Structure formats: C-alpha cells, structure tokens
Amino acid sequence: MTTIYTIGFTQTTAKDFFEKIKNSNITTLIDTRINNNSQLSGFSKKEDLRFFLKEICGVNYIHKVELAPPKDLLNSYKSGKIDWATYEYEFKKIITKREIEKKLPIELINNSCLLCSEKKPHFCHRRLVAEYLKEKSETEINISHL
C-alpha cells in the first residue's frame, strides 16, 4: 500500500516538526506552497528546510508549485470573499485541469509528505491534494496527517 503523509509547520517547534518527519517512513517532503521562502517559521525557508530535512531526517526535499493554489484563490478565501466550500470546489477544478496525478509518479508519492503552513489539514489544500491523488490512483493510497 502507498502512503501519503501531510504536515503543516505553523504553531509547532522545529523539534516537534522534525521528530514527526523522522519518526515516520517519509522519504521525500513535497513542498506545496506558492512561496517557499516564508518567514512564518524560522526553519521553513526552502534552503534551510532542504538542509534540515537531509541532515536531521535523511529526507529529500522538492518544491511542486503546481500543487499550490493560485494566489488570487487563496487571497479570496483568507480575506473572507469566498467560503471554504467554494475554495475547495475551485481548487479541485484547478488541480484536475493541471492533471497533477500525471506529474507525480507513484514512486514519488509513496512515503512522501505534503507540506504547507496550516497546522491542521481540515482547511488546507494539502489535504485536498492528497485526497485527489488517492481518488485518481490505480494503487491503494493511505493518507496520514501528522
């Protein structure tokens, strides 16, 4: 069985974040943020994160901007112009059009971890990406939110 993990880094310490990664069976962290130079957390900037993941956890890092929501959609949700249901519907249309399942081979997906900033997956695009990949895959996929 293939497993996709998801994780957010907001409101967590570097210690907790990297322990969760290290204690899982993760081989690759897939950054799903538009802006991977975020200052939201001191350890989450692209090059720092790549270094820490490799040195602390032995995990590879890649950035897949095609898994991120467009800025206008994200801003509309964050500003309250649209609700979560509308955001989810629009984002699913976008990733379907992008055919993200064709850009992520099952070998990459297996034991990968989708990263974004949201602490919990409930109102986060990483959950939507994981669910979409599960739906589109011919292989059985388990989703584990860290």
Side-chain angles (χ1 to χ4, degrees), residues 86-145:
T86 303
Y87 173 88
E88 187 172 343
Y89 175 78
E90 293 299 326
F91 183 67
K92 285 180 181 177
K93 282 187 353 188
I94 290 165
I95 59 177
T96 300
K97 184 177 179 182
R98 289 178 182 170
E99 297 182 309
I100 63 169
E101 71 278 12
K102 293 181 179 178
K103 297 170 181 146
L104 297 168
I106 199 69
E107 300 81 26
L108 176 61
I109 293 170
N110 190 31
N111 295 324
S112 67
C113 184
L114 303 175
L115 168 83
C116 89
S117 62
E118 293 295 324
K119 181 179 180 178
K120 298 190 183 273
H122 308 86
F123 297 103
C124 180
H125 75 279
R126 71 179 187 265
R127 176 183 59 83
L128 302 177
V129 168
E131 290 171 356
Y132 174 87
L133 292 171
K134 180 177 181 170
E135 177 186 312
K136 293 292 184 180
S137 179
E138 295 175 8
T139 304
E140 187 176 345
I141 294 179
N142 177 53
I143 300 170
S144 179
H145 302 290

Side-chain angles (χ1 to χ4, degrees), residues 32-58:
T32 68
R33 298 174 291 167
I34 296 170
N35 178 10
N36 62 354
N37 286 311
S38 171
Q39 294 292 335
L40 289 174
S41 181
F43 59 84
S44 67
K45 288 177 69 175
K46 176 184 177 179
E47 292 308 320
D48 293 336
L49 185 56
R50 180 188 313 274
F51 173 80
F52 292 136
L53 285 166
K54 193 54 131 174
E55 292 299 313
I56 297 169
C57 307

